Amino acid sequence: MKRSGNSVGLLAAMILVGALLSTEAKALTEKATFGAGCFWGLEAAFRQVKGVTDTAVGYMGGTLKNPTYEDVTTHRTGHMEVCQVTYDPAQISYEKLVAVFFQIHNPTSFNPDGHDLASQYRSVIFFHTPEQETIAMAAKDQLQVSGKFERPIAAAIVPATEFWRAEEYHQRYAEKHNLPSCSITP
């Protein structure tokens, strides 16, 4: 009997250690949220970046709680289609994620999604920390003075609000349908 009790105790300790390690691994990742047109293409682009551990597409910045795609496309909720990126800062910096964001779309366009010109496609960086805000502002300023674009950089940099995960059929849409991406580049 005593041996059985020790086995149960050992098993419980192993489960506890596993849970702690899992929690610790999750704590080592950070979130970044970007909007740059169709969230399918944005997600497809960020999924290719080394150090990105997960992505989810959804809606942010609006007034309606738990919006659906149909709600957002009415242009009455104020939400934007976004990609929330989970990344390992030991593998990729937030600065590099912001650089990817500015490279994969036209940041001078208010609604940058090529054929899909609508308010939910605005160019935006939602920052989660003061450090992210500082980095995003510096990158935007640097891009503006670089002369790469003739027009001003229109990408908004605003505090993150509640992220509403989009419907499951939108998640990894390009991957599920073997599409290269949406037309998010200029």
Side-chain angles (χ1 to χ4, degrees):
M1 290 294 252
K2 192 170 188 177
R3 182 167 282 213
S4 176
N6 287 341
S7 296
V8 170
L10 180 59
L11 179 60
M14 290 172 58
I15 291 170
L16 179 60
V17 167
L20 290 172
L21 289 174
S22 176
T23 302
E24 185 177 312
K26 287 179 185 174
L28 297 177
T29 60
E30 295 183 22
K31 300 272 187 214
T33 307
F34 304 99
C38 171
F39 51 22
W40 298 340
L42 195 58
E43 180 181 41
F46 277 110
R47 290 194 64 73
Q48 302 303 311
V49 176
K50 185 177 188 236
V52 170
T53 61
D54 197 18
T55 58
V57 296
Y59 317 107
M60 191 176 274
T63 57
L64 182 67
K65 290 186 180 288
N66 202 23
T68 64
Y69 182 73
E70 289 74 25
D71 294 329
V72 172
T73 59
T74 67
H75 313 292
R76 288 184 255 157
T77 69
H79 289 91
M80 288 159 266
E81 289 188 13
V82 297
C83 179
Q84 189 157 86
V85 175
T86 304
Y87 68 99
D88 178 352
Q91 294 184 45
I92 188 164
S93 67
Y94 183 73
E95 291 90 343
K96 288 185 181 170
L97 291 173
V98 170
V100 168
F101 165 78
F102 281 124
Q103 289 171 1
I104 62 177
H105 81 293
N106 178 354
T108 67
S109 176
F110 181 69
N111 301 317
D113 194 60
H115 300 293
D116 294 329
L117 298 177
S119 62
Q120 76 265 24
Y121 297 123
R122 289 171 279 176
S123 177
V124 61
I125 297 173
F126 285 100
F127 60 85
H128 295 266
T129 66
E131 293 80 16
Q132 285 186 351
E133 178 185 24
T134 300
I135 291 165
M137 292 296 284
K140 179 180 175 179
D141 292 346
Q142 184 178 6
L143 185 59
Q144 186 64 59
V145 299
S146 75
K148 180 177 179 177
F149 296 101
E150 291 180 20
R151 297 184 347 199
I153 305 300
I157 299 171
V158 296
T161 58
E162 188 157 4
F163 174 76
W164 301 99
R165 186 178 170 92
E167 297 80 357
E168 194 54 38
Y169 72 91
H170 287 297
Q171 305 303 321
R172 298 185 184 186
Y173 187 88
E175 185 179 318
K176 290 176 188 173
H177 296 280
N178 202 26
L179 300 173
S181 73
C182 290
S183 147
I184 59 171
T185 54

